[in-house]
């Protein structure tokens, strides 16, 4: 088996079906399997997908979160490579083969690979980024700074270096389309189970980097990511719901002492935003502020 495609579904039956259909419609010239992990969906997904003989369907009675669900799919995989694919994505070309050939033809120091994702409007969307620091995490959340950053860099930070004209190195690839070497996961682990949602792919690639592996973006696969399609609220919701994952990631990457300093400055800037950010209910914003204090 060349590639194990792992998709996690949580009450996104229609999106997931479209994603799976695009995989089978566009993929050829490579031996692959599709593993669908269902996080206890209650929208009829179980009854629908367990009948699909094209896929390996795994149903969890509880919502394991993104990382643990992918870990469960990984335990059932047998491909040389893993392709972790969000349920709110659509393949527009033979992306899996492009990734497979991209890995096969380049240095085995590349552990993870992604592509430049496009939104449903055809515009480039978040595809890779830098490991979290106090500066870049504040930049992403303070409205004026976020607009300034987008004006300078677009949605993503600058590449570390170009490996060739079709491939460049980045610090981490987003988890929406993460193509990776299974042998690296076998040796150094996939997602840390302490994460429920967000930043698990960031910590994982930071862990791989410590073992001299790198992450890259190639330009040949074409994938649409309906960003936020698997959750309601888009960026304004992510700004708050991603905080527990951020704190877990920061602690694992830099240690408890640096996390304490990070929390003090982060709270000083985010509490005022929590009080005035009308996009999201005050009660929910304050709940996530409390999670920062308790983390």
């Amino acid at each position: 088996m060349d590639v194990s495609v792992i998709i996690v579904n949580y009450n996104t039956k229609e999106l997931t079906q479209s994603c799976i259909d695009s995989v089978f419609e566009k993929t050829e010239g490579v031996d692959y399997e599709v593993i669908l992990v269902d996080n206890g969906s209650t929208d009829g997904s179980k009854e629908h997908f367990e009948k699909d003989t094209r896929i390996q369907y795994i149903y969890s009675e509880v919502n394991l979160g993104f990382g643990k669900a992918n870990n469960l799919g990984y335990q059932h995989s047998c491909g040389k490579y893993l392709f972790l694919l969000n349920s709110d994505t659509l393949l527009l070309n033979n992306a899996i083969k492009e990734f497979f050939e991209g890995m096969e033809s380049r240095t085995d120091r590349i552990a993870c690979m992604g592509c430049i994702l496009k939104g449903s409007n055809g515009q480039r969307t978040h595809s890779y980024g830098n490991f979290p620091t106090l500066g870049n995490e504040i930049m992403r959340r303070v409205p004026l700074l976020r607009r300034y950053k987008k004006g300078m860099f677009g949605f993503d930070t600058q590449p570390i270096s170009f490996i060739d004209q079709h491939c460049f190195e980045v610090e981490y690839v987003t988890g929406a389309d993460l193509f990776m070497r299974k042998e690296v996961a076998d040796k150094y682990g996939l997602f840390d189970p302490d994460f429920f949602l967000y930043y698990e792919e960031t910590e994982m690639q930071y862990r791989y980097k410590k073992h001299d592996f790198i992450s890259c973006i190639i330009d040949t696969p074409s994938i649409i990511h309906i960003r936020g399609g698997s959750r309601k609220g888009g960026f304004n919701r992510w700004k708050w719901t991603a905080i527990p994952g951020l704190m877990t990631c920061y602690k694992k990457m830099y240690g408890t002492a640096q996390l304490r300093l990070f929390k003090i400055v982060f709270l000083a800037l985010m509490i005022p935003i929590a009080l005035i950010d009308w996009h999201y209910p005050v009660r929910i914003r304050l709940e996530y502020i409390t999670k920062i204090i308790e983390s």
Side-chain angles (χ1 to χ4, degrees):
M1 184 72 66
D2 296 323
V3 182
S4 295
V5 183
I6 302 175
I7 302 169
V8 175
N9 171 55
Y10 177 62
N11 290 327
T12 56
K13 182 175 69 175
E14 289 78 16
L15 283 172
T16 302
Q17 184 64 67
S18 296
C19 176
I20 291 172
D21 289 344
S22 76
V23 170
F24 284 102
E25 177 185 343
K26 299 297 183 181
T27 307
E28 58 184 6
V30 63
D31 189 18
Y32 70 98
E33 62 179 350
V34 175
I35 300 170
L36 177 62
V37 181
D38 196 319
N39 263 336
S41 295
T42 57
D43 64 347
S45 288
K46 185 176 188 296
E47 297 76 12
H48 179 76
F49 289 114
E50 65 185 0
K51 299 175 183 177
D52 192 336
T53 58
R54 302 173 300 172
I55 67 175
Q56 182 180 168
Y57 180 71
I58 303 170
Y59 184 79
S60 170
E61 294 291 341
V62 297
N63 184 356
L64 299 171
F66 181 77
K68 288 183 181 179
N70 273 293
N71 288 351
L72 179 58
Y74 157 68
Q75 292 168 15
H76 290 79
S77 67
C78 57
K80 179 180 180 180
Y81 297 99
L82 306 173
F83 186 34
L84 313 185
L85 188 64
N86 267 25
S87 64
D88 57 351
T89 57
L90 294 171
L91 306 191
L92 299 184
N93 67 357
N94 196 0
I96 294 176
K97 187 177 182 182
E98 294 292 343
F99 278 126
F100 177 77
E101 292 182 343
M103 279 287 205
E104 291 282 287
S105 63
R106 293 183 174 90
T107 171
D108 58 10
R109 286 187 59 230
I110 301 174
C112 300
M113 186 175 280
C115 69
I116 300 297
L117 297 167
K118 294 182 180 179
S120 54
N121 59 1
Q123 298 297 309
R124 173 176 166 169
T125 189
H126 180 58
S127 307
Y128 61 92
N130 286 342
F131 296 131
T133 64
L134 178 60
N136 62 35
E137 290 302 324
I138 292 298
M139 183 79 78
R140 298 178 75 182
R141 287 171 171 80
V142 177
L144 289 176
L145 295 179
R146 177 174 164 80
R147 284 195 289 270
Y148 174 65
K149 181 181 180 183
K150 288 174 68 173
M152 292 175 63
F153 305 117
F155 280 95
D156 299 302
T157 52
Q158 297 299 309
I160 295 173
S161 62
F162 280 83
I163 294 174
D164 55 56
Q165 63 178 337
H166 298 291
C167 178
F168 58 86
E169 182 183 350
V170 297
E171 290 194 345
Y172 77 87
V173 175
T174 181
D177 68 321
L178 192 54
F179 196 92
M180 53 185 296
R181 297 184 189 276
K182 186 174 183 290
E183 63 182 3
V184 177
D186 290 343
K187 189 170 184 179
Y188 300 110
L190 197 62
F191 294 131
D192 188 309
D194 287 346
F195 291 87
F196 182 79
L197 184 64
Y198 302 119
Y199 287 91
E200 52 275 280
E201 78 271 42
T202 310
E203 186 277 333
M204 180 189 73
Q205 290 170 77
Y206 182 82
R207 192 182 341 127
Y208 292 169
K209 185 174 183 179
K210 291 194 295 184
H211 294 284
D212 202 34
F213 290 100
I214 61 175
S215 299
C216 294
I217 294 289
I218 59 173
D219 63 7
T220 48
S222 182
I223 300 176
I224 286 179
H225 182 205
I226 309 168
R227 195 177 180 199
S230 57
R231 65 183 190 275
K232 298 183 184 298
F235 171 75
N236 288 299
R237 185 174 188 271
W238 170 87
K239 181 166 57 180
W240 300 106
T241 57
I243 284 174
L246 170 61
M247 294 299 150
T248 301
C249 182
Y250 208 87
K251 181 178 181 180
K252 288 180 178 292
M253 288 173 60
Y254 306 121
T256 303
Q258 287 200 45
L259 175 63
R260 290 196 187 102
L261 177 61
F262 179 88
K263 284 166 60 175
I264 291 170
V265 181
F266 194 79
L267 281 167
L269 291 167
M270 291 303 293
I271 287 177
I273 295 174
L275 298 174
I276 64 175
D277 185 0
W278 57 270
H279 291 98
Y280 212 49
V282 174
R283 178 181 61 81
I284 302 299
R285 290 177 246 147
L286 294 179
E287 176 183 325
Y288 282 101
I289 291 294
T290 302
K291 288 184 178 182
I292 299 177
I293 298 171
E294 295 175 347
S295 64

